[in-house]
Each structure stands twice: as structure tokens, then as C-alpha cells.
Amino acid sequence: MTETTQSAAATSPRIPTVREVMHGPVISVTTEDTLWAAMDKMVATQLHHVGVIDGDRALGLISDRDLAAVWTLDPLGLKQHTAGHALAATETTFVASDTDVITAGEQLLKHRRDALLVVDEDGTALGVLTDRDLLTVLLGLRRPLR
């Protein structure tokens, strides 16, 4: 390794993994729960996303934006449609907890989502990684967070 390479490596910040910055555990609903129940959980926990699970297996992620889209088209839809129905209309991107945050950020941009569902090798939901989590990491690289 040259002196320049050693110096750059010494000053480069360590890139954290998704596990280090995600939120968890996942607040979840089942495929049979109504979107109203999903909204109720979001309001009660002040979160913008709920996971959809089947037993222990993660199936997807529903956001408050997804719920707003349903409500805009059909105000009664939140009580009539299930979380499983909403998953059919959204693309959920999963990410492993040991993925670095740069790769996870690239996935967010590629899939045009604001959050990723973090899963283990068995497909069990571990947490949620949001664009806000990644922004916090980015700002932490520039200066200490308050």
C-alpha cells in the first residue's frame, strides 16, 4: 500500500451496515388485516411504515403514502381492503441486515421507495431502513450528531 493509499484509508469513515442504523422491531400486520388496522398501528406508533407478515415470514412493507393513495381513490377503501391487497399494488424491496448503507441507499433510489424492509436469511423481518436513517448517517459523516 502506498503512503497516499494508507493516508486515504486512515481518514475514510467506516461505512455502517443496515443493522446499525435501521429501526426495529418491525411493527406489523397480517395479509388479512385491513388497511384501517395498518393505519391505526402507524398512528399509534408514530411510524410511517408497517411490515406485512405471514407467520414469521416478511412479505412486504406498507407506507402511509400507500394508504393515502388508497384513501384518495376510495375513502372507504381503508376499511374494505386488506394489507395483502395493498401489497399487490406496491413493490417491496428487501435488504439483508449486513448490507452496507451505500448499497441500501442505491436500492432505495433504484426502486424509488423511501424505506426498505430488513430481513434475515430466513425471511424474518428484523427492521425498517428509511431514507431518514440514511440521511442521518450521511450527516454523521460530516459532523457529530446532536
Side-chain angles (χ1 to χ4, degrees):
M1 198 182 286
T2 67
E3 250 182 75
T4 306
T5 308
Q6 287 175 339
S7 175
T11 60
S12 296
R14 187 183 72 75
I15 299 172
T17 64
V18 167
R19 180 181 297 279
E20 295 173 76
V21 299
M22 71 180 191
H23 288 85
V26 176
I27 303 302
S28 62
V29 294
T30 69
T31 56
E32 299 305 314
D33 286 327
T34 64
L35 295 177
W36 186 267
M39 181 184 67
D40 190 46
K41 285 196 176 188
M42 285 183 202
V43 170
T45 59
Q46 298 182 349
L47 296 173
H48 299 279
H49 304 87
V50 293
V52 181
I53 60 163
D54 181 18
D56 287 337
R57 194 169 67 93
L59 300 177
L61 197 61
I62 296 175
S63 73
D64 53 2
R65 292 177 184 177
D66 298 327
L67 298 180
V70 170
W71 182 83
T72 301
L73 296 174
D74 177 12
L76 296 176
L78 294 177
K79 290 190 175 188
Q80 297 171 343
H81 298 293
T82 65
H85 175 266
L87 282 184
T90 62
E91 176 187 7
T92 298
T93 305
F94 301 97
V95 65
S97 63
D98 61 349
T99 303
D100 68 83
V101 295
I102 292 174
T103 302
E106 290 169 342
Q107 283 188 318
L108 276 177
L109 290 174
K110 177 182 174 185
H111 296 286
R112 307 182 108 197
R113 300 294 293 174
D114 65 343
L116 301 170
L117 190 55
V118 183
V119 296
D120 67 12
E121 58 278 350
D122 297 324
T124 302
L126 300 175
V128 175
L129 178 74
T130 66
D131 52 2
R132 186 178 185 122
D133 298 327
L134 296 178
L135 183 57
T136 301
V137 170
L138 178 64
L139 292 174
L141 295 174
R142 179 74 174 129
R143 64 178 181 265
L145 296 178
R146 297 176 199 166

